[in-house]
Amino acid sequence: GAGVSQSPRYKVAKRGQDVALRCDPISGHVSLFWYQQALGQGPEFLTYFQNEAQLDKSGLPSDRFFAERPEGSVSTLKIQRTQQEDSAVYLCASSLIVLGNEDTEAFFGQGTRLTVV
Amino acid sequence: AQKITQTQPGMFVQEKEAVTLDCTYDTSDQSYGLFWYKQPSSGEMIFLIYQGSYDEQNATEGRYSLNFQKARKSANLVISASQLGDSAMYFCAMSLALYNFNKFYFGSGTKLNVKP
């Protein structure tokens, strides 16, 4: 596709429900990132994939958060037993990234707005 | 620890005037990149401009320029000739070379309103 695509755009979940958020990166992009953006705040890093390998998951807030990218393309962010504090916009970004290439641009999707009620 | 600070929650500017959005950063790394992104109400983050820590000249991209003052650790965005379509949230971000240049640390953002 032309850009990073995320689905669904909006998700309302009851507290305790499991949710899965999907990210379709730009074709051929090696790197994929997930960010969490709380209302009125800047995005915060969650996790990073290089192809199918999850190289950094230091930003995942708890073990209820799990991300995968099994074939090095589409990625899914799963949140188990959702809590109200999980309400946020979840942004996915991808880039061609050659390690250390400082000029590589990251392209962001429009995000999934998750509301836990 | 890395930190980005944007001290202006909101800014107003008259159409066709210039505006400066402030950003200061804190890192002990010597090699890093500084970015500005625009986030309209539709939600996507739109890349505006990049400045590398070793770049001696300030970056410019069309109406956007980055006023990089390394000793003061500031990276202010200057938008010249503001347009109504510039109304949006603006985020300053930093990434570190040691890791890779796409793990961003974002500031809290500045909401810019351009008045006709």
Side-chain angles (χ1 to χ4, degrees):
Chain A
V4 178
S5 178
Q6 292 187 246
S7 60
R9 286 293 317 276
Y10 304 92
K11 176 70 179 178
V12 178
K14 290 185 178 179
R15 191 170 54 181
Q17 186 179 357
D18 297 350
V19 298
L21 312 180
R22 177 187 170 105
C23 173
D24 279 272
I26 294 174
S27 179
H29 277 196
V30 169
S31 291
L32 185 145
F33 296 79
W34 284 97
Y35 287 83
Q36 180 190 55
Q37 186 176 18
L39 187 65
Q41 300 296 318
E44 293 196 357
F45 170 80
L46 291 177
T47 187
Y48 162 61
F49 290 87
Q50 189 169 49
N51 296 307
E52 69 279 3
Q54 189 175 20
L55 299 187
D56 188 337
K57 52 183 181 179
S58 62
L60 296 177
S62 77
D63 58 8
R64 296 185 297 102
F65 286 72
F66 172 77
E68 60 183 4
R69 194 186 184 196
E71 297 178 0
S73 178
V74 172
S75 177
T76 303
L77 176 67
K78 298 178 179 178
I79 309 173
Q80 298 176 323
R81 305 181 303 281
T82 51
Q83 304 294 315
Q84 279 194 316
E85 62 263 28
D86 301 335
S87 295
V89 174
Y90 290 85
L91 293 166
C92 176
S94 73
S95 72
L96 279 171
I97 192 71
V98 173
L99 199 63
N101 180 349
E102 61 188 35
D103 290 331
T104 301
E105 180 182 339
F107 296 84
F108 283 80
Q110 291 185 297
T112 294
R113 182 178 296 277
L114 173 65
T115 303
V116 181
V117 297
Chain B
Q2 280 59 237
K3 187 176 181 181
I4 294 282
T5 302
Q6 294 180 253
T7 58
Q8 306 155 313
M11 290 278 287
F12 285 91
V13 64
Q14 201 70 38
E15 190 179 9
K16 299 181 183 177
E17 291 185 351
V19 62
T20 298
L21 307 184
D22 294 341
C23 173
T24 58
Y25 60 93
D26 190 18
T27 181
S28 56
D29 283 51
Q30 296 303 308
S31 184
Y32 51 87
L34 296 160
F35 301 75
W36 277 91
Y37 278 84
K38 172 184 178 181
Q39 188 177 45
S41 56
S42 53
E44 75 274 28
M45 301 285 278
I46 302 169
F47 167 77
L48 296 178
I49 196 166
Y50 164 82
Q51 177 87 40
S53 58
Y54 293 112
D55 295 341
E56 294 187 350
Q57 289 195 330
N58 288 344
T60 59
E61 289 284 350
R63 295 187 297 111
Y64 305 108
S65 60
L66 198 151
N67 184 1
F68 181 46
Q69 297 187 40
K70 193 170 182 177
R72 298 177 64 182
K73 292 190 173 180
S74 74
N76 298 340
L77 176 71
V78 180
I79 306 174
S80 62
S82 299
Q83 301 172 357
L84 295 178
D86 294 335
S87 293
M89 284 290 290
Y90 288 80
F91 290 96
C92 179
M94 176 174 64
S95 61
L96 305 176
L98 182 64
Y99 185 85
N100 69 60
F101 277 90
N102 282 171
K103 180 180 181 180
F104 293 118
Y105 300 88
F106 283 92
S108 56
T110 296
K111 185 167 186 177
L112 178 66
N113 283 291
V114 180
K115 298 186 293 184

